[in-house]
Amino acid sequence: MKKGFLILIRVFVVVGILHFVSMRTMKLSETKKTIYRKFFWHLYGIIFMLSGGLNLIEKGEFHWSFTLQFIIGLVTVILNLLGKIETKSSLIR
């Protein structure tokens, strides 16, 4: 019971922090939002690659799921570097 309650509290805190940050980013200028989006996609792709690569190394054998995860992370980073991942803020509204 205690573990479940602690997990619940942690989830609420993380969701609250994410909500606070997202409300703050709505007030930023469009150029800063673009910079933060590019940083997010770089970080997301790198974390995805690290997760897939470390799981491949840890298992010591070939797994399609981890290889696919690594490739998706690599494609995300490359597309972001080439400027192909663009989010239009007008579509979000």
Side-chain angles (χ1 to χ4, degrees):
M1 180 76 176
K2 281 185 179 181
K3 278 187 177 181
F5 185 68
L6 288 175
I7 291 172
L8 177 72
I9 295 298
R10 287 180 186 163
V11 167
F12 281 159
V13 167
V14 168
V15 169
I17 291 171
L18 287 174
H19 176 69
F20 178 76
V21 169
S22 67
M23 290 294 115
R24 292 298 227 183
T25 57
M26 289 179 72
K27 298 176 184 177
L28 294 175
S29 67
E30 208 47 50
T31 56
K32 282 195 176 190
K33 285 182 189 178
T34 304
I35 292 170
Y36 287 149
R37 282 186 203 117
K38 286 188 182 234
F39 175 75
F40 167 78
W41 284 112
H42 276 323
L43 188 66
Y44 183 78
I46 290 170
I47 288 174
F48 223 61
M49 285 174 50
L50 282 174
S51 176
L54 290 175
N55 282 327
L56 273 173
I57 292 170
E58 182 180 280
K59 300 296 179 191
E61 57 189 50
F62 184 77
H63 286 276
W64 279 105
S65 59
F66 300 139
T67 306
L68 184 64
Q69 185 177 0
F70 182 83
I71 291 171
I72 289 172
L74 183 64
V75 167
T76 302
V77 170
I78 290 172
L79 287 176
N80 194 22
L81 286 173
L82 295 175
K84 300 294 182 186
I85 298 179
E86 294 292 328
T87 55
K88 305 283 186 199
S89 62
S90 60
L91 295 177
I92 297 172
R93 295 181 198 173

